[in-house]
Amino acid sequence: MLRFTLLWLLVFLFASISSSSARPAPYAMRISCGARQNIRTPPTYTRWYKDFAYTGGIPANATAPSHITPPLKTLRYFPLSEGPENCYIINRVPKGHYSVRIFFGLVEHEIDNEPLFEVSVEGTIIHSLKSGWSKNDEQVFAEALVFLLDGSVSICFHSTGRGDPTIISIEILQIDEKAYYFGPEWGRGVILKTTSRLTCGTSKPKFDEDYSGDHWGGDRFWHPIRTFGKNVDAPRSTESGIKKASTVPNFYPEALYQSAVVSTDSKPDLAYTMDVDPNKNYSIWLHFAEIDATITSAGKRVFDVLINGGTVFENVDVVGMSGDRYTALVLNTTVALSGRTLTITLHPKKGNHAILTAIEVFQVIVAESKTSPEEVRALQALKKSLGLPNRFGWNGDPCVPKEHPWSGADCHFDKSGGKWFIDGLGLGNQGLRGSLPNEISKLHHLQSINLSGNSIHGVIPSSLGTVTSLETLDLSYNFLNGSIPESLGKLTALRRLNLNGNSLSGRVPSALGGRLLNGASFNFTDNHGLCGIPGLPKCGPHLSAGAKVGIAFAVFLSLVLLVICSICWWKRRQNILRAQQIAVLPMQKQGLNHHTIFRCQGILVVAGQLPRMGRACYRDPISFPSLCCVYF
């Protein structure tokens, strides 16, 4: 019995250790764009979240362009009237390595209206839709592998003037930290954009989910290609198990290796050609497993692998390199391509035939450096305070992608800090309203501000005096009031200041007046309350703002005291009158006339001259809590 108990304790301990060390499930966020409630879709009953509060845009019914598109019934589209840039901002995303995928769609009943636009992730463009995308399974979505490190992800859609961006779904799937490591260039500053992913020798498109793949591999889509061309190869397949398939860090599904293509006697070379963007680097992953029953041992099939005619792998022996038949082998190389085509060729050296299971091609993209977060927050505060119209966009990152900066914001890259910053604001004559927020001073690198010809009201923030790099400040023809802050006189780099056409008042700071002698160009005209420099009226006795506040407070306090005294006098008068009424009533009942002398709470009232005959006392609990005595 003791031995049996110890055995069970050991089993329980081992199970506890195993469960505690088991890897948690990867983070997964799937969004059904335009959906008003969470839904699940067959055949795997994947959960999709509604897209409430992530973005703007307009929800609509969707037409899925491809059978591989998730079976969702809605989408979200972004008309140009809402701005050229629109973004999904998704927060509370754990730090890690992610596969981000976006499916595109068509608005219902508008299937001939195929929009063309660009997609960026974290400020880096990963995809540009090309004409005809809706008729190509591999082009109905964009996918990239990216590191997310700040707890959020921004996925933006940039209009190109050729239709409104239309999005059916977004997937953010955590994958292994070392997934698709391809060499020293791999890292957190690099994005791998999926160009093509093929499974050979089969005609059935599949996702990792369909293959029952490990979730740490993501949910990759494998486009089927049964043959590279007529009579140039033959398909092979097996139901035998495949060893060394679903292993870290890429977790390829075992079923991926159960089909392949093999070259033929008439065409010994096995070649595949695809279109690519020129002058880019590409990471190429080739998959093999010896599933051909005619190959029984190492050395029976040996071939070279060439990329655009250049040999990248020599003497590939799948059995010898993988260790056995029915065993997965993955080869990876990175190449720089100058042309628009990528050709992968397998050239047999022994056995006359080559074999290939699957191909993955990724474009290597250097991730864009982002704008300083402090300056992004400052611009967002400015957008809110000035009520910037939707047509400006101002979503995502102000400076990246470099092809789509925010309208009216000039950017400069700081190589030493590795960040973008804002050095100019050009928003003149844009119909802006509201007031200038103090946060504008957080744009520490500003050299030029032009907000002229708008309807901005309120005061000029004194914090502007801390933007020491400011050279040009044009706030002319607005509705600004108050005085010119003394702090503007500290802007030694300021060479042009236009404050004309406002309602400013008070003395122009003397430091600004002195600057005019050094060639600066300042304009203070059309402000009827300004004074103190040549060209403006002379200033009379001038009270400081603090003195004005003090005087106003004293006047207010005097008025309050006057009102209080008047109320007290009125109440006292009312009490006296009420006491007289109280005294007269009982005397009238006793036949007394009004010629009476009476005293109430020490107040002597002479109403006439009568001999004193007696005294009557009464209590009025409202006016006089003590006795009121009347003499008669």
Side-chain angles (χ1 to χ4, degrees):
M1 183 65 181
L2 179 61
R3 186 177 300 172
F4 181 81
T5 303
L6 288 174
L7 179 61
W8 270 108
L9 285 174
L10 289 173
V11 170
F12 177 79
L13 181 61
F14 178 80
S16 299
I17 294 173
S18 298
S19 62
S20 64
S21 61
R23 195 176 196 183
Y27 173 90
M29 168 64 79
R30 291 179 169 91
I31 298 174
S32 175
C33 301
R36 300 181 182 273
Q37 60 185 7
N38 301 336
I39 60 175
R40 293 184 181 274
T41 55
T44 57
Y45 293 94
T46 301
R47 183 178 184 179
W48 298 86
Y49 291 92
K50 59 184 178 182
D51 68 347
F52 175 76
Y54 291 118
T55 186
I58 301 174
N61 293 330
T63 296
S66 168
H67 63 285
I68 70 165
T69 303
L72 303 170
K73 297 181 179 180
T74 61
L75 55 70
R76 187 171 291 272
Y77 71 95
F78 302 93
L80 190 57
S81 59
E82 296 212 356
E85 280 78 50
N86 288 273
C87 304
Y88 275 78
I89 307 297
I90 302 165
N91 297 315
R92 296 187 293 277
V93 178
K95 292 182 180 180
H97 197 195
Y98 287 86
S99 170
V100 178
R101 182 165 58 206
I102 304 102
F103 270 93
F104 317 120
L106 302 172
V107 177
E108 191 176 41
H109 307 309
E110 297 184 20
I111 59 176
D112 294 329
N113 185 16
E114 184 185 67
L116 304 180
F117 53 95
E118 295 187 316
V119 182
S120 69
V121 176
E122 292 292 277
T124 301
I125 289 181
I126 64 164
H127 190 68
S128 297
L129 277 77
K130 298 178 175 61
S131 182
W133 64 263
S134 60
K135 298 176 177 62
N136 188 321
D137 286 350
E138 285 192 288
Q139 295 181 23
V140 297
F141 68 91
E143 181 185 78
L145 309 181
V146 58
F147 284 93
L148 303 177
L149 305 175
D150 59 3
S152 67
V153 57
S154 66
I155 301 170
C156 300
F157 311 104
H158 310 275
S159 297
T160 60
R162 294 173 289 179
D164 301 327
T166 49
I167 313 301
I168 283 184
S169 68
I170 294 175
E171 296 169 275
I172 305 166
L173 308 177
Q174 189 176 13
I175 59 177
D176 192 274
E177 285 286 314
K178 293 292 185 180
Y180 291 98
Y181 177 85
F182 62 85
E185 295 180 0
W186 179 93
R188 295 181 176 181
V190 171
I191 293 175
L192 289 181
K193 176 248 179 126
T194 305
T195 301
S196 185
R197 186 178 277 120
L198 306 174
T199 175
C200 304
T202 179
S203 56
K204 296 180 179 180
K206 288 190 176 182
F207 291 86
D208 281 3
E209 198 68 54
D210 301 320
Y211 280 134
S212 299
D214 192 298
H215 289 170
W216 279 100
D219 188 23
R220 292 157 289 203
F221 170 70
W222 299 91
H223 181 70
I225 182 163
R226 186 170 178 82
T227 176
F228 293 164
K230 187 176 181 180
N231 299 325
V232 302
D233 52 38
R236 295 286 189 272
S237 63
T238 183
E239 295 182 359
S240 300
I242 304 296
K243 300 184 286 290
K244 298 182 181 179
S246 188
T247 58
V248 292
N250 293 344
F251 296 98
Y252 294 113
E254 178 184 8
L256 176 68
Y257 297 92
Q258 292 178 327
S259 65
V261 290
V262 176
S263 58
T264 61
D265 292 336
S266 60
K267 192 72 173 179
D269 283 358
L270 193 60
Y272 178 77
T273 300
M274 59 179 292
D275 294 332
V276 294
D277 293 332
N279 304 314
K280 305 290 184 181
N281 291 342
Y282 288 86
S283 180
I284 301 168
W285 300 71
L286 304 175
H287 300 263
F288 308 94
E290 189 53 79
I291 61 173
D292 191 339
T294 62
I295 304 299
T296 57
S297 62
K300 298 291 185 178
R301 190 199 308 273
V302 179
F303 52 88
D304 292 342
V305 177
L306 297 81
I307 304 293
N308 283 2
T311 302
V312 293
F313 297 107
E314 289 186 290
N315 300 321
V316 175
D317 182 346
V318 176
V319 176
M321 296 171 68
S322 67
D324 200 356
R325 299 171 65 216
Y326 303 103
T327 303
L329 172 67
V330 183
L331 300 179
N332 165 247
T333 186
T334 302
V335 296
L337 300 180
S338 57
R340 294 184 175 274
T341 59
L342 166 66
T343 300
I344 301 171
T345 304
L346 278 60
H347 175 66
K349 299 178 74 173
K350 290 184 180 180
N352 294 328
H353 300 153
I355 188 170
L356 180 61
T357 294
I359 302 172
E360 292 178 286
V361 179
F362 298 94
Q363 186 182 127
V364 180
I365 303 174
V366 177
E368 295 277 10
S369 298
K370 301 173 74 173
T371 306
S372 164
E374 183 181 37
E375 300 212 347
V376 174
R377 289 191 292 268
L379 285 179
Q380 289 171 340
L382 187 68
K383 172 185 176 181
K384 181 178 180 181
S385 184
L386 294 181
L388 225 64
N390 288 337
R391 58 185 170 83
F392 276 86
W394 279 39
N395 297 306
D397 191 290
C399 300
V400 292
K402 289 178 287 188
E403 298 86 348
H404 301 282
W406 285 4
S407 177
D410 297 328
C411 298
H412 184 77
F413 185 66
D414 178 13
K415 294 182 179 180
S416 60
K419 294 285 185 183
W420 289 90
F421 58 76
I422 310 301
D423 64 356
L425 285 176
L427 296 171
N429 300 296
Q430 296 297 333
L432 305 182
R433 301 178 181 272
S435 58
L436 294 175
N438 283 322
E439 287 86 349
I440 195 172
S441 64
K442 301 297 183 182
L443 301 170
H444 300 295
H445 303 86
L446 278 177
Q447 297 180 17
S448 172
I449 299 177
N450 179 11
L451 296 173
S452 62
N454 289 294
S455 299
I456 304 171
H457 60 263
V459 301
I460 300 173
S462 61
S463 59
L464 265 179
T466 63
V467 186
T468 56
S469 58
L470 200 58
E471 299 176 1
T472 299
L473 177 59
D474 191 346
L475 301 177
S476 59
Y477 299 106
N478 281 285
F479 297 98
L480 297 169
N481 53 40
S483 60
I484 300 175
E486 292 285 342
S487 61
L488 294 189
K490 300 177 182 179
L491 299 177
T492 57
L494 195 61
R495 289 292 175 266
R496 182 183 175 196
L497 175 63
N498 291 338
L499 299 178
N500 50 301
N502 283 286
S503 300
L504 299 170
S505 60
R507 185 185 298 273
V508 174
S510 57
L512 290 177
R515 200 78 52 75
L516 293 172
L517 301 176
N518 297 321
S521 173
F522 295 168
N523 192 340
F524 302 110
T525 59
D526 296 329
N527 287 281
H528 298 300
L530 285 180
C531 61
I533 64 171
L536 296 177
K538 292 184 178 180
C539 295
H542 179 67
L543 293 176
S544 66
K548 293 178 181 178
V549 172
I551 292 173
F553 181 75
V555 172
F556 174 76
L557 186 60
S558 299
L559 290 174
V560 170
L561 290 174
L562 181 60
V563 170
I564 292 174
C565 291
S566 299
I567 292 174
C568 291
W569 177 86
W570 182 81
K571 291 290 291 183
R572 185 174 181 82
R573 177 64 180 165
Q574 291 299 313
N575 290 339
I576 292 172
L577 294 175
R578 180 174 294 183
Q580 292 174 345
Q581 293 173 357
I582 292 171
V584 168
L585 287 174
M587 289 189 293
Q588 289 178 344
K589 291 180 180 180
Q590 298 180 34
L592 301 177
N593 58 33
H594 64 280
H595 296 287
T596 308
I597 301 173
F598 61 92
R599 185 184 303 274
C600 285
Q601 287 192 338
I603 301 172
L604 180 63
V605 181
V606 180
Q609 298 295 328
L610 289 176
R612 181 171 174 176
M613 298 174 59
R615 184 180 70 170
C617 294
Y618 306 93
R619 183 186 301 273
D620 178 4
I622 297 176
S623 301
F624 300 106
S626 61
L627 289 176
C628 179
C629 297
V630 180
Y631 296 86
F632 56 90

